[in-house]
Amino acid sequence: MDKIVHIKTFGCQMNERDSEIMGQLLGRSGYVRGDEPETADLILVNTCSIRDKAEQKVYSLLGQLRDLKAKKNNIRIGVCGCVAQQEGRKIIERMPHVDLVVGTQQLYQLPVLLDRLESGELSRAVALDLNPVFAIPPFQHLLREENLQKNEKKHTPVQRYVNIMQGCNNFCSYCVVPYTRGREISRPLADILEEVRLLAAQGVREITLLGQNVNSYGKTNAVAPQVTSFPDLLRAVAEIEGLKRLRFTTSHPKDLDLTLMRCFAELEVLCPHFHLPVQSGSSAVLARMNRGYTAEAYLDKVEQLRGIRPDIALATDFIVGFPGETEEEFVETLQLLESVRFHSSFSFKYSDRPQARATAFPDKIAEEVKGERLSRLQSLQNEISLQWNTNLMHKEVEVLVEQVQTQAGRGRSSANQVVYFHLQADQALPVVGDLVRVQIEHAGPHSLRGAMLS
């Protein structure tokens, strides 16, 4: 009889992909996915420690699961990901009902650890070594949904993430990633291409290549010798039959060069959407962050990029309230936002993270000041996003269909905008994975609406 696993994921795309890999591993071991933790034999909490709030949510959830474990003592509870790597055995000391703690680079050992728990060889399992391993199983082993037993038809997802590297060597002063995910390691080119070919053959139309700093791909490789650069990798992936769209995240501005910029003009499947985190518009703050570039250098690269691909949609990250940030330095961030006019951004209040150097920095900013600055930044971003979207009124955009309903659907443009569309009289309903043309009739700051064209 199949066992049921419930996976709860916190954090970014990297964590979403890690959860998927855990699902692939467990699918190979006979597990099916369940939506309700109450029905599960195994609950995995895949964690993020980039922001303090995400870590707090993890411990809150683990507290709730304590009661479930008391009622159903044969259930296994595991903590995976960055908080697991950061806290280690302290999680079990604080939450004795947790059975296993699996670090970021030990997730491939998950089936083995579960077997050792089941056999009684281990009473608790803690695996935290940072080993350079990419043992990603084939997508044939994706978890089956428990409700497939009810004969509900499931479509193959049309978008997938593919890991190309892991870890980070940059040591930004606010960031915990080098400590929780280890040093940069590039995955072998052949493995990446094989995975993308398999996905495309299964009906996946859009691939996002994942890495903490994709620009460094091929420069640091403890897995297998290679000389492939990231632009070379993009070109190889772009040639794979069946692939309609290609994206990647995340790039570090200090490593962005003209060779990569030119890919946006030369590769047809590479979407004109680029996430390039700036974090601050103040060169003084960027220096304290150890980002390796100035605001002026960032603006120069944006100008070069737009010269090569004028229609590119730019997204970014901001941190407000970094230790010592003055009002004048924050205003420089607003000015950079006004100058670049990003299509979208993710913005956060600075929070101290264990092991990150900035935790020891003086002149911490009061929470109310950080909150007020974040509100101003997000308000300005919403105005700019709305202006970008309003420019598309009465124009046509190509949309990759992600969801369909009666006479309506939802998808994304190549610029990564969410687009809701309705069908006109006598139009056939598209299927998930189709590329359709939509004429925009309404624009909001976070989405577009329109009519599907014949």
Side-chain angles (χ1 to χ4, degrees):
M1 182 177 177
D2 289 326
K3 292 185 177 181
I4 299 172
V5 58
H6 175 77
I7 304 177
K8 174 64 176 178
T9 306
F10 293 89
C12 62
Q13 295 158 320
M14 194 72 68
N15 275 34
E16 290 177 25
R17 178 63 185 119
D18 284 349
S19 290
E20 195 172 59
I21 291 172
M22 287 188 279
Q24 290 170 248
L25 292 162
L26 293 170
R28 188 163 56 182
S29 299
Y31 280 83
V32 297
R33 186 189 299 277
D35 292 332
E36 303 298 330
E38 291 78 11
T39 64
D41 301 287
L42 170 65
I43 298 174
L44 295 175
V45 183
N46 191 14
T47 63
C48 175
S49 63
I50 293 294
R51 311 290 171 203
D52 180 56
K53 188 175 181 180
E55 187 176 330
Q56 292 172 8
K57 288 181 179 178
V58 168
Y59 279 109
S60 175
L61 176 59
L62 290 176
Q64 297 169 29
L65 294 176
R66 183 191 293 112
D67 295 336
L68 179 60
K69 184 70 174 279
K71 297 175 184 176
K72 187 179 178 181
N73 60 16
N74 63 334
I75 195 172
R76 297 286 186 188
I77 298 175
V79 182
C80 312
C82 291
V83 174
Q85 189 70 49
Q86 175 183 294
E87 298 295 306
R89 193 169 289 277
K90 293 178 184 177
I91 294 174
I92 293 177
E93 294 170 359
R94 182 173 171 179
M95 300 283 179
H97 58 288
V98 171
D99 297 286
L100 67 160
V101 177
V102 183
T104 54
Q105 293 187 20
Q106 290 297 306
L107 63 91
Y108 306 102
Q109 300 302 314
L110 187 57
V112 174
L113 294 171
L114 288 169
D115 285 346
R116 295 177 71 186
L117 284 170
E118 291 296 326
S119 69
E121 181 184 347
L122 297 174
S123 60
R124 296 287 188 275
V126 179
L128 303 172
D129 288 347
L130 290 173
N131 295 326
V133 175
F134 272 115
I136 299 175
F139 268 80
Q140 288 100 325
H141 298 295
L142 280 172
L143 277 172
R144 292 181 291 113
E145 302 285 342
E146 184 187 12
N147 59 13
L148 279 181
Q149 299 168 9
K150 304 173 186 176
N151 297 317
E152 294 183 8
K153 186 176 180 180
K154 293 288 180 180
H155 292 288
T156 300
V158 295
Q159 299 155 309
R160 287 288 189 194
Y161 300 124
V162 172
N163 297 76
I164 67 167
M165 60 188 304
Q166 61 188 23
C168 184
N169 292 348
N170 287 313
F171 290 91
C172 299
S173 63
Y174 54 82
C175 187
V176 71
V177 167
Y179 308 101
T180 59
R181 288 190 175 269
R183 303 294 82 76
E184 289 178 359
I185 306 159
S186 297
R187 187 180 175 196
L189 174 65
D191 289 2
I192 297 168
L193 297 181
E194 180 183 7
E195 184 172 347
V196 175
R197 288 191 192 100
L198 177 60
L199 290 171
Q202 292 178 346
V204 173
R205 294 294 170 256
E206 178 178 299
I207 293 292
T208 300
L209 304 178
L210 284 183
Q212 241 73 43
N213 179 18
V214 294
N215 299 1
S216 294
Y217 176 79
K219 297 178 181 177
T220 306
N221 193 335
V223 178
Q226 64 183 59
V227 294
T228 304
S229 67
F230 182 57
D232 289 339
L233 171 62
L234 284 177
R235 295 179 189 282
V237 172
E239 293 177 359
I240 291 176
E241 185 177 355
L243 187 63
K244 300 299 183 183
R245 287 183 175 179
L246 176 60
R247 304 182 191 272
F248 60 85
T249 192
T250 298
S251 278
H252 197 297
K254 71 178 177 62
D255 299 320
L256 176 61
D257 59 23
L258 283 170
T259 306
L260 177 55
M261 292 183 194
R262 291 191 184 104
C263 288
F264 284 101
E266 296 168 357
L267 302 180
E268 185 177 353
V269 298
L270 184 59
C271 291
H273 173 257
F274 192 15
H275 185 245
L276 189 64
V278 64
Q279 307 300 1
S280 174
S282 164
S283 293
V285 172
L286 290 171
R288 297 200 297 274
M289 289 179 169
N290 192 38
R291 289 291 287 172
Y293 56 86
T294 63
E296 293 74 23
Y298 184 94
L299 291 171
D300 286 344
K301 292 193 176 185
V302 167
E303 184 178 4
Q304 286 180 307
L305 186 58
R306 283 180 166 157
I308 292 169
R309 185 68 192 257
D311 65 336
I312 196 164
L314 292 178
T316 197
D317 294 341
F318 289 109
I319 295 174
V320 303
F322 189 76
E325 182 187 67
T326 64
E327 174 64 17
E328 291 74 19
E329 289 169 337
F330 172 69
V331 169
E332 288 182 287
T333 296
L334 296 180
Q335 291 170 342
L336 184 138
L337 174 54
E338 282 274 21
S339 176
V340 177
R341 303 189 69 76
F342 296 99
H343 283 65
S344 63
S345 66
F346 298 97
S347 50
F348 309 91
K349 293 187 289 185
Y350 167 83
S351 60
D352 285 339
R353 308 309 303 129
Q355 297 180 281
R357 287 195 297 116
T359 300
F361 286 5
D363 303 322
K364 298 292 170 60
I365 307 301
E367 282 299 315
E368 58 269 24
V369 175
K370 288 192 284 188
E372 187 269 342
R373 289 177 181 174
L374 183 64
S375 178
R376 288 159 63 190
L377 179 71
Q378 292 179 341
S379 177
L380 178 57
Q381 179 64 73
N382 284 339
E383 291 176 15
I384 294 170
S385 297
L386 178 59
Q387 290 166 6
W388 277 115
N389 286 349
T390 301
N391 290 340
L392 293 172
M393 286 287 290
H394 311 302
K395 295 181 180 178
E396 295 179 22
V397 298
E398 185 183 71
V399 174
L400 178 65
V401 178
E402 300 173 350
Q403 188 179 82
V404 290
Q405 299 172 337
T406 304
Q407 295 300 303
R410 188 201 68 203
R412 285 184 184 269
S413 71
S414 60
N416 210 37
Q417 296 139 318
V418 176
V419 182
Y420 297 91
F421 60 88
H422 62 86
L423 273 63
Q424 303 178 74
D426 302 323
Q427 282 184 322
L429 191 69
V431 299
V432 172
D434 279 351
L435 288 168
V436 301
R437 304 293 298 179
V438 174
Q439 184 164 1
I440 302 304
E441 301 171 335
H442 173 78
H446 306 298
S447 64
L448 300 163
R449 293 183 181 274
M452 191 180 82
L453 301 174
S454 298

